[in-house]
């Protein structure tokens, strides 16, 4: 049976016979279908987030496994968590079939290797959550990883664009965004890839929020690796506390460049060491730390 992503799209049969603007409108019209497909799987996505939160709080990790576009999107999502949320390097780990070489160019046969997926899953433990990404829902590399994860007792999930994914029985949670046939048959870097990007964005961002790495809708656990991000840290402090730029800069310096203790210090007037202790007791959650300091005032 041909998977949905491999089928010809009846809405784009004449895509090579129309002008540039019309091609772009066809692509855009298909893209507009993606958000609805992702919205339909939010209940399953919520289950995956809650499982990941529990796993991390119990000392586990989250692993992504994918090949081709799916694997590249997984690597991108995991890589962006450090500068955005100061997430530890090994909190969300992306495994891409073929490794770093396959990020830039296709490597033959790696996605067809169940053994390769199982080998890459050798570091998975029973405390972890393993998320396989396969637009077709049938990638052997992902199958090997999911089987290996199940064997050690990890929670497994599958992100796919195939509602009848063959790999579904290997997953405790199936997140199947039905994006339908692609603009160009089989080119899953299009709608299926967009859906996976949206799902990973939502998954990892919600995970970070639940783990206390934001306060309100502000990034308060970010790492300032350049001048732009240092400026953003000062703006965040100003927006969150109403303090003037000089006070924000002073607080950030006293906190050795760490935004969270500077924020708690400015909001409560507590000395930075006291703010750090409250954050430690609150497992890094600013709202909880503020409550602790308020209760002890």
């Amino acid at each position: 049976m041909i998977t949905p992503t491999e089928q010809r799209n009846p809405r784009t049969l004449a895509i090579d016979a129309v002008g540039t603007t019309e091609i772009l409108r066809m692509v855009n019209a298909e893209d507009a279908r993606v958000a609805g497909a992702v919205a339909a799987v939010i209940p399953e996505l919520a289950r995956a987030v809650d499982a990941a939160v529990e796993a991390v709080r119990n000392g586990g990790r989250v692993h992504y496994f994918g090949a081709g576009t799916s694997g590249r999107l997984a690597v991108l999502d995991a890589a962006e968590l450090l500068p955005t949320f100061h997430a530890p390097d090994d909190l969300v780990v992306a495994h891409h079939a073929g490794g770093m070489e396959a990020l830039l160019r296709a490597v033959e046969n790696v996605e067809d290797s169940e053994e390769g997926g199982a080998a890459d899953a050798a570091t998975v433990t029973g405390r972890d959550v393993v998320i396989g990404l396969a637009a077709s829902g049938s990638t052997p590399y992902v199958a090997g990883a999911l089987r290996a994860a199940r064997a050690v007792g990890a929670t497994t999930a599958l992100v796919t664009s195939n509602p009848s994914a063959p790999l579904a029985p290997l997953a405790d949670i199936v997140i199947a965004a039905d994006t339908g046939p692609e603009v160009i048959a089989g080119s899953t870097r299009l709608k299926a890839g967009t859906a996976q990007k949206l799902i990973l964005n939502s998954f990892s961002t919600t995970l970070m929020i639940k783990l206390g790495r934001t306060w309100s809708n502000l990034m308060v656990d970010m790492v300032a690796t350049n001048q732009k991000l240092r400026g953003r840290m000062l703006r965040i402090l100003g927006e969150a506390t109403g303090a003037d730029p000089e006070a924000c800069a002073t607080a950030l310096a006293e906190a050795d460049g760490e935004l969270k203790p500077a924020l708690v210090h400015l909001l409560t007037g507590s000395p930075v060491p006291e703010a750090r202790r409250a954050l430690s007791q609150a497992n890094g959650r600013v709202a909880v730390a503020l409550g602790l300091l308020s209760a002890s005032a």
Side-chain angles (χ1 to χ4, degrees):
M1 181 178 178
I2 300 176
T3 64
T5 56
E6 296 290 336
Q7 295 171 3
R8 293 182 72 187
N9 190 328
R11 295 177 294 274
T12 62
L13 292 176
I15 198 166
D16 65 333
V18 298
T20 302
T21 300
E22 186 57 27
I23 291 173
L24 293 171
R25 284 182 175 143
M26 285 184 180
V27 174
N28 182 251
E30 292 301 308
D31 285 344
R33 299 171 179 269
V34 176
V38 173
V41 299
I42 285 177
E44 292 78 18
L45 186 52
R47 289 179 57 206
V49 171
D50 288 341
V53 171
E54 183 179 359
V56 171
R57 286 178 176 166
N58 290 325
R61 299 184 294 172
V62 175
H63 296 262
Y64 297 151
F65 287 88
T69 296
S70 298
R72 293 183 186 99
L73 290 170
V75 171
L76 176 64
D77 189 76
E80 290 180 338
L81 298 182
L82 172 61
T84 307
F85 299 109
H86 200 191
D89 286 338
D90 62 348
L91 184 67
V92 178
V93 184
H95 307 267
H96 183 216
M100 292 299 294
E101 180 185 356
L103 287 176
L104 299 178
R105 57 181 56 84
V107 177
E108 290 186 7
N109 300 321
V110 290
E111 71 177 66
D112 295 329
S113 173
E114 282 202 29
E115 294 78 9
D120 285 353
T123 60
V124 172
T125 74
R127 295 182 297 179
D128 297 342
V129 169
V130 168
I131 300 176
L133 296 108
S136 67
S138 60
T139 309
Y141 172 84
V142 175
L146 291 176
R147 284 197 176 92
R150 278 209 153 174
V152 297
T155 299
T156 57
L158 175 68
V159 176
T160 181
S161 284
N162 183 359
S164 301
L167 298 186
L170 297 178
D172 301 308
I173 304 165
V174 177
I175 304 165
D178 188 2
T179 53
E182 293 288 0
V183 171
I184 304 300
S187 183
T188 54
R189 57 182 285 274
L190 298 173
K191 289 191 297 181
T194 300
Q196 290 187 358
K197 181 69 166 70
L198 291 177
I199 287 168
L200 289 176
N201 276 353
S202 298
F203 170 83
S204 60
T205 299
T206 307
L207 173 62
M208 294 296 109
I209 292 168
K210 298 280 284 186
L211 292 176
R213 293 185 176 272
T214 64
W215 183 66
S216 181
N217 62 351
L218 297 172
M219 293 184 287
V220 294
D221 229 337
M222 58 185 290
V223 180
T225 55
N226 57 44
Q227 188 61 40
K228 180 188 78 172
L229 294 180
R230 284 188 284 274
R232 182 181 293 168
M233 290 177 86
L234 291 173
R235 287 195 300 275
I236 288 172
L237 281 174
E239 289 173 4
T241 67
D244 60 52
E246 184 177 350
C248 291
T250 299
L252 199 57
E254 290 178 0
D256 298 323
E258 294 183 45
L259 200 156
K260 272 187 179 179
L263 174 63
V264 173
H265 159 65
L266 286 172
L267 287 172
T268 65
S270 303
V272 168
E274 191 174 334
R276 286 188 191 280
R277 283 194 293 273
L279 284 165
S280 178
Q281 293 171 359
N283 293 318
R285 301 180 68 181
V286 171
V288 176
L290 294 176
L292 291 173
L293 289 170
S294 175
S296 63

